[in-house]
Amino acid sequence: MPNIKLVKFTKQDFNDYYSLVSNEQVMAMITERALSFEEAKRNFNHFVIRNEQFEHFGNYKVYDSDTGEILGSGNLKVNEKRLDEAEIGYMLLPSYWG
């Protein structure tokens, strides 16, 4: 059983993020397709900047703290037009489904 930890993504975590969004199974219910490298890089850079703007809101890496292995990601995203609204989302690698 993994020792699950969450930490905000930083600039050094792109490869972990890309392992999620380039996986067709993971993205099937999100965008209906895997993201290209360029799309992933653009999205990642955008939310790393947002991660720095908000203390609790942002995109989090979900990982096994014993092995460092990426399990997925989670996000708590504030609606920047209505600060009283937020969205929760997550992605998990298929090996952790079920």
Side-chain angles (χ1 to χ4, degrees), residues 71-83:
L71 311 176
S73 72
N75 70 53
L76 181 57
K77 184 171 103 175
V78 67
N79 180 339
E80 294 175 21
K81 295 179 183 173
R82 288 203 51 185
L83 296 178

Side-chain angles (χ1 to χ4, degrees), residues 56-75:
H56 300 292
F57 294 101
N59 293 72
Y60 291 81
K61 175 170 71 169
V62 179
Y63 69 101
D64 182 333
S65 66
D66 293 332
T67 65
E69 182 179 5
I70 182 84
L71 311 176
S73 72
N75 70 53

Side-chain angles (χ1 to χ4, degrees), residues 27-62:
M27 298 303 288
M29 300 304 262
I30 299 170
T31 60
E32 299 181 357
R33 63 178 179 77
L35 298 186
S36 70
F37 182 86
E38 293 78 17
E39 289 173 298
K41 194 67 167 171
R42 187 172 44 252
N43 291 350
F44 183 79
N45 289 337
H46 177 72
F47 74 64
V48 165
I49 291 168
R50 269 201 334 241
N51 276 355
E52 296 169 356
Q53 294 175 332
F54 299 97
E55 181 179 0
H56 300 292
F57 294 101
N59 293 72
Y60 291 81
K61 175 170 71 169
V62 179

